[in-house]
Amino acid sequence: MGIAKKTMDAAQWIEAAIRDFINISPENTLKNRENEKAWADPLVGFSRGDDPLYLEFKEAIGGFYWTPLEIFNLTFPEVAVEPHKLTVISWVLPQTELTKADNRKETTYPAERWARARIFGEEVNERLRAHVVATLQESGVKAVAPMLSPHWKRRTSARYGYASTWSERHAAYASGLGTFGLCDGLITPKGKAMRCGSVVAHIEIPPAQRPYQDHRAYCLFFTEGICGKCIPRCPVGAITEMGHDKVKCGEYIRKTTKQYVKSHYGFDGYGCGLCQTEVPCESKIPTTHDVEVDKSLWTG
Ligand code: SF4
Ligand code: SF4
């Protein structure tokens, strides 16, 4: 780490690099006429490379799924490193209020801002991954963004179907940033309407204290047996009380919404996110009160 960085807490330094990129840099754009921001103020969390959760993910998802040490070793085979000396840096990029407000009104197709966030916003997320890696490397810290690695591949999990060698949402869960909902989205303190990213770095940073014990702790369907508001939001019935049908969802997004985005918004894109908006967990960790209030509005 450089001299200036040594005097600064590593966690604060990295969090500032991520938040400044999103809050100040012109890179954060939806590329619309108004040049609006793609993402609101991020959340940042850390987990240790030897966190047992990463091995649990591998056991549950499949042998192809990387631990932080595996993707680090693939990237830097010449470096001998112990897993506890690695840190997974994870972030959550919340959708903006304008984007969420637009998508709330939709019932079949994504709003234009949402589709732009899916395509141009994810490009911002890719540049952020590269920026975090470059910032660390400039200070002599070896780092890799698993999603940018040429080794990253889509895979099929015997248990979960569509999968890949690294999951940003699982890294965020391990880093204390949220838990999974009925629709498979990650419910964070800034809600489920977000995208996330991560970098594995050879740096020791105190990990987050996860404020949950269970991977579904924030979803009211699993904790209280109530809500299920994401079920009717899905235009193709891909969410039921049994969970999220990834095949149905994926086909709808890649085929139907792709055509819609091209013909209505004029760019090559896709998206949906209807189950991430107009639901109690859209912008926060939901409480039973949110569902009760919502019910009274519906029946009142
Ligand atoms: S809308 Fe309700 S049931 Fe669906 S993920 Fe959110 S809290 Fe869970
Ligand atoms: S993203 Fe759209 S299609 Fe997929 S589960 Fe959510 S609402 Fe359904």
Side-chain angles (χ1 to χ4, degrees):
M1 202 183 291
I3 293 169
K5 310 299 185 319
K6 275 184 188 159
T7 59
M8 203 174 168
D9 176 81
Q12 287 176 352
W13 166 51
I14 293 167
E15 181 170 343
I18 293 168
R19 293 183 65 198
D20 285 355
F21 187 89
I22 293 301
N23 293 332
I24 300 172
S25 154
E27 301 265 7
N28 180 19
T29 172
L30 279 181
K31 290 191 178 171
N32 55 3
R33 196 175 302 129
E34 299 79 10
N35 200 28
E36 292 165 353
K37 283 185 189 303
W39 306 113
D41 190 27
L43 296 174
V44 180
F46 305 96
S47 49
R48 259 172 51 152
D50 66 344
D51 192 310
L53 269 183
Y54 287 107
L55 271 178
E56 286 178 28
F57 298 158
K58 190 177 184 70
E59 279 162 21
I61 297 168
F64 55 82
Y65 191 83
W66 293 326
T67 63
L69 182 65
E70 285 172 326
I71 177 56
F72 190 87
N73 283 343
L74 269 176
T75 313
F76 304 104
E78 73 287 0
V79 180
V81 61
E82 293 170 88
H84 69 274
K85 304 250 170 162
L86 296 174
T87 292
V88 178
I89 302 159
S90 174
W91 58 83
V92 163
L93 304 180
Q95 298 277 3
T96 67
E97 291 304 322
L98 287 172
T99 299
K100 288 185 289 191
D102 280 359
N103 225 45
R104 263 177 229 141
K105 293 179 209 144
E106 300 295 335
T107 54
T108 309
Y109 298 109
E112 180 174 350
R113 282 192 176 96
W114 190 278
R116 285 183 173 276
R118 179 63 190 84
I119 303 304
F120 306 121
E122 184 52 28
E123 289 175 8
V124 176
N125 198 10
E126 287 197 0
R127 289 195 291 275
L128 173 58
R129 292 180 183 104
H131 172 71
V132 173
V133 168
T135 303
L136 288 159
Q137 306 250 44
E138 278 164 20
S139 292
V141 177
K142 289 199 161 38
V144 55
M147 297 296 288
L148 297 185
S149 167
H151 302 288
W152 183 85
K153 297 270 181 325
R154 292 192 189 282
R155 290 279 190 263
T156 302
S157 162
R159 194 160 157 196
Y160 297 109
Y162 288 154
S164 66
T165 49
W166 184 257
S167 158
E168 299 292 32
R169 281 175 301 141
H170 284 72
Y173 167 68
S175 304
L177 291 174
T179 77
F180 295 87
L182 180 63
C183 66
D184 270 355
L186 196 79
I187 304 172
T188 78
K190 293 204 176 183
K192 188 172 66 174
M194 60 91 204
R195 287 187 73 77
C196 43
S198 66
V199 160
V200 177
H202 191 187
I203 188 170
E204 287 182 81
I205 295 178
Q209 294 298 308
R210 284 189 285 272
Y212 39 76
Q213 304 288 327
D214 185 84
H215 68 291
R216 291 163 162 173
Y218 294 161
C219 176
L220 296 170
F221 181 83
F222 294 115
T223 56
E224 306 289 338
I226 58 170
C227 190
K229 299 280 181 190
C230 49
I231 296 174
R233 280 292 282 158
C234 181
V236 289
I239 307 171
T240 65
E241 294 192 349
M242 302 302 292
H244 175 226
D245 183 333
K246 290 189 203 174
V247 174
K248 222 181 230 186
C249 168
E251 280 186 2
Y252 178 69
I253 290 175
R254 279 190 297 276
K255 292 181 185 161
T256 312
T257 74
K258 193 166 189 262
Q259 288 171 2
Y260 184 87
V261 168
K262 181 74 175 170
S263 60
H264 286 72
Y265 304 145
F267 63 91
D268 289 319
Y270 50 85
C272 177
L274 296 185
C275 58
Q276 294 176 40
T277 47
E278 190 64 358
V279 288
C281 57
E282 173 201 277
S283 301
K284 57 183 282 209
I285 297 166
T287 66
T288 51
H289 179 71
D290 296 318
V291 175
E292 281 156 16
V293 166
D294 201 29
K295 264 185 193 162
S296 71
L297 289 174
W298 280 92
T299 53

